[in-house]
Amino acid sequence: MGRNLIIPGGTRVIDATGKLVLPGGIDPHTHLELEMMGAKTADDFYTGTRAAVAGGTTTVIDFVLPQKGQSLVEAYNHWREKADNKVCCDYALHVGVTWWSPAVAKEMQQLCSEEYGVNSFKMFMAYRDTWMLDDYHLYIAMETCKHLGALPMVHAENGHIIARNTEKLLAAGKTDPEGHELSRDEEVEAEAVNRACVIANQANSPLYIVHMMSRSAVKALENARPRQKQPVYGETLAATVGTDGSHYRNACFRHAAGHVMSPPLRSDPDTPQAMLEALADDCVQLIGSDNCTFHESDKAKGHGDFSKIPNGVNGVEDRMSILWQKGVNTGIMDPCRFVAVTSATAARVFNLWPRKGRVCVGADADLVVWDPRLQRTISATRHAHAVDFNIFEGQNVVGSPQYVVVNGRVCFDDGDLRVVEGFGKFLKTPVMSPYVYGGEAPKARTPEPHAPSPRLDFPARVTNGTPTP
Ligand code: URP
Ligand code: ZN
Ligand code: ZN
Ligand code: ZN
């Protein structure tokens, strides 16, 4: 970017007339190449980032999830080995604090060093038998984050209540996927949101609540926020605004199990609209995907026992189009808010701003030429994921990327996906993000004054611009 640039002969020109040029999307929540609940995700760091690019996302932040007792640094190194030679776009890492000992605090400090570049840790209040921390250790983990200038993230659901409800449902013969939703209703999520806020306040720590899935959870956050001494960020998901819990009652096991994730999609039909409004009103600040895809054959492990269905759904590819369709085309949010919740705020919170999340001189050339008229029908038969299911199957969306530029290279070219395995780089995220902890923000050039934006009421145009893996 710049004025009076010298452009060499033969340089390709992309005409963006009538389109929007956006900073590449940042998905703050993915699980690529993860083993959980006895299965391995269908999407690895190649197919997952390939799908990200196809949908306009040029940075993903994935979760290192150590086994109980495993060294956090060892798990981090393992994630780097899995990812570095496979990623098609840049990526960063959060690290899970899935067990506790004083050694874990030392490792958190090590991971926050310049060498490792981690500034966020995820703690689970659910998954009682694998990753859950009790409140005492959650409190210490948040104190440790605060001490390090890192950001604690929590999965907010009450794991003990879920465990007991699951026992009762299975004993009563309720084994099908609907049992998953019944075992963990909205109250179970809202209670944990409130408790996480209380614990963060006691630790005088900021907080990031991942995958908020219900109106009750949002209400709990709204109630807590005025009391909080430090900022609390809420993240919702493409899944929540793009579909709902009615699928758990589908007679087809494959279909119902394909939607199983935690917290669950909600059956309250007002949920998607409420989550979009929460995003628009700044009650919730970011939208991720929680992309964690499992093949039908793995979901089938839970036939006859819903608690054995591997938890997770797709979203890294369709996150931006789903939000544009449900949020911008409906007038709930404007395109600037769309950019904030899909990209800029994630860059600020995780200290990647203004290198990422902003179109400006000096930023990485991660750009999306977004066509607000481009219509496509989402389907597992066409998506760039490796997985054989898509929770948004059959949905028509108007608004999709036409070109996606990753670090200056056109990787999605008017419908053709041209990614390069290993082209992406690992991004170190320094601690003490000024957006979270205050202090001086990194310098960015003052933008030039510009003319007001044109009205955005584009008629739909059908094209064949679907990604070809
Ligand atoms: O169902 C989900 N969300 N799977 C991924 C793991 C997690 O809790 O984020
Ligand atoms: Zn989670
Ligand atoms: Zn079905
Ligand atoms: Zn997740």
Side-chain angles (χ1 to χ4, degrees):
M1 290 182 70
R3 292 183 177 280
N4 306 317
L5 295 174
I6 295 164
I7 300 167
T11 298
R12 182 176 174 197
V13 175
I14 292 174
D15 182 356
T17 306
K19 315 288 160 60
L20 296 98
V21 182
L22 313 177
I26 300 173
D27 189 334
H29 192 148
T30 67
H31 302 279
L32 304 176
E33 217 166 321
L34 171 70
E35 283 174 57
M36 72 177 275
M37 299 180 73
K40 190 172 181 181
T41 58
D43 284 301
D44 65 8
F45 280 93
Y46 171 61
T47 62
T49 54
R50 175 178 82 180
V53 171
T57 290
T58 54
T59 300
V60 302
I61 315 184
D62 201 81
F63 289 85
V64 175
L65 293 178
Q67 307 290 321
K68 209 172 249 177
Q70 187 188 13
S71 148
L72 274 59
V73 170
E74 181 188 294
Y76 166 100
N77 287 333
H78 180 47
W79 247 255
R80 292 290 306 271
E81 279 160 26
K82 288 193 283 191
D84 281 356
N85 296 321
K86 283 192 183 167
V87 283
C88 304
C89 65
D90 290 353
Y91 80 105
L93 291 171
H94 315 289
V95 175
V97 178
T98 51
W99 61 287
W100 190 262
S101 83
V104 169
K106 287 217 180 72
E107 286 205 300
M108 288 169 72
Q109 181 170 19
Q110 191 178 343
L111 289 165
C112 285
S113 68
E114 167 91 56
E115 184 185 350
Y116 292 88
V118 170
N119 72 6
S120 47
F121 295 92
K122 179 177 179 185
M123 279 72 74
F124 293 85
M125 301 170 84
Y127 300 106
R128 189 190 60 164
D129 300 326
T130 50
W131 296 328
M132 191 172 95
L133 284 193
D134 62 29
D135 290 354
Y136 176 73
H137 293 114
L138 180 56
Y139 186 9
I140 298 175
M142 287 195 196
E143 289 175 323
T144 306
C145 287
K146 164 78 184 193
H147 174 72
L148 295 170
L151 180 62
M153 309 170 83
V154 294
H155 175 131
E157 284 187 296
N158 186 315
H160 291 294
I161 292 179
I162 293 163
R164 180 61 186 149
N165 286 346
T166 300
E167 288 167 3
K168 291 200 286 189
L169 284 158
L170 293 174
K174 183 68 183 170
T175 60
D176 63 43
E178 190 187 10
H180 176 71
E181 187 194 1
L182 297 174
S183 70
R184 47 213 307 158
D185 66 16
E186 292 199 13
E187 181 178 64
V188 172
E189 185 185 4
E191 180 277 328
V193 167
N194 178 64
R195 184 156 40 99
C197 289
V198 171
I199 296 170
N201 227 18
Q202 293 294 316
N204 192 24
S205 170
L207 176 63
Y208 181 108
I209 302 174
V210 298
H211 50 45
M212 298 186 68
M213 299 293 277
S214 64
R215 293 167 74 198
S216 305
V218 169
K219 210 174 285 173
L221 176 59
E222 263 179 334
N223 288 341
R225 195 171 264 138
R227 297 194 298 266
Q228 297 306 116
K229 291 181 272 194
Q230 302 297 335
V232 185
Y233 306 99
E235 169 201 272
T236 191
L237 302 181
T240 319
V241 301
T243 184
D244 61 51
S246 62
H247 296 284
Y248 297 132
R249 292 183 295 282
N250 194 296
C252 165
F253 173 84
R254 171 180 192 266
H255 186 100
H259 290 79
V260 166
M261 65 184 304
S262 294
L265 298 164
R266 301 300 179 181
S267 289
D268 172 354
D270 296 331
T271 306
Q273 169 95 9
M275 301 314 276
L276 287 163
E277 283 167 5
L279 266 176
D281 295 350
D282 202 31
C283 178
V284 170
Q285 285 70 35
L286 305 89
I287 184 166
S289 68
D290 199 2
N291 195 93
C292 187
T293 54
F294 293 102
H295 283 308
E296 176 185 0
S297 52
D298 286 315
K299 292 275 186 179
K301 290 183 169 78
H303 220 294
D305 180 349
F306 66 81
S307 72
K308 294 195 164 51
I309 301 170
N311 286 195
V313 300
N314 62 287
V316 74
E317 179 168 347
D318 299 317
R319 178 182 71 117
M320 293 177 70
S321 282
I322 283 285
L323 184 64
W324 188 274
Q325 173 67 23
K326 308 283 181 179
V328 180
N329 289 343
T330 54
I332 295 172
M333 69 182 70
D334 64 23
C336 290
R337 183 66 186 165
F338 173 85
V339 169
V341 302
T342 57
S343 175
T345 302
R348 293 181 131 125
V349 167
F350 297 107
N351 214 358
L352 293 165
W353 173 271
R355 175 179 173 188
K356 302 290 186 189
R358 186 167 179 203
V359 179
C360 69
V361 175
D364 286 353
D366 290 339
L367 298 166
V368 178
V369 177
W370 186 266
D371 184 349
R373 296 186 199 86
L374 185 63
Q375 179 181 313
R376 63 189 180 97
T377 305
I378 297 174
S379 175
T381 61
R382 279 187 297 271
H383 66 201
H385 290 277
V387 73
D388 55 8
F389 190 79
N390 189 311
I391 55 167
F392 309 116
E393 186 71 36
Q395 291 203 38
N396 286 307
V397 286
V398 179
S400 267
Q402 184 179 10
Y403 300 95
V404 180
V405 180
V406 181
N407 275 314
R409 188 181 181 281
V410 181
C411 288
F412 183 74
D413 192 341
D414 201 11
D416 291 327
L417 197 45
R418 301 183 193 278
V419 292
V420 178
E421 188 166 6
F423 181 67
K425 291 182 298 297
F426 175 67
L427 301 166
K428 290 180 178 175
T429 52
V431 293
M432 292 301 290
S433 172
Y435 191 69
V436 177
Y437 277 96
E440 198 171 339
K443 286 275 175 290
R445 282 173 56 122
T446 317
E448 304 283 333
H450 60 84
S453 304
R455 253 167 62 78
L456 283 165
D457 51 353
F458 306 95
R461 174 166 62 82
V462 182
T463 82
N464 61 354
T466 45
T468 43

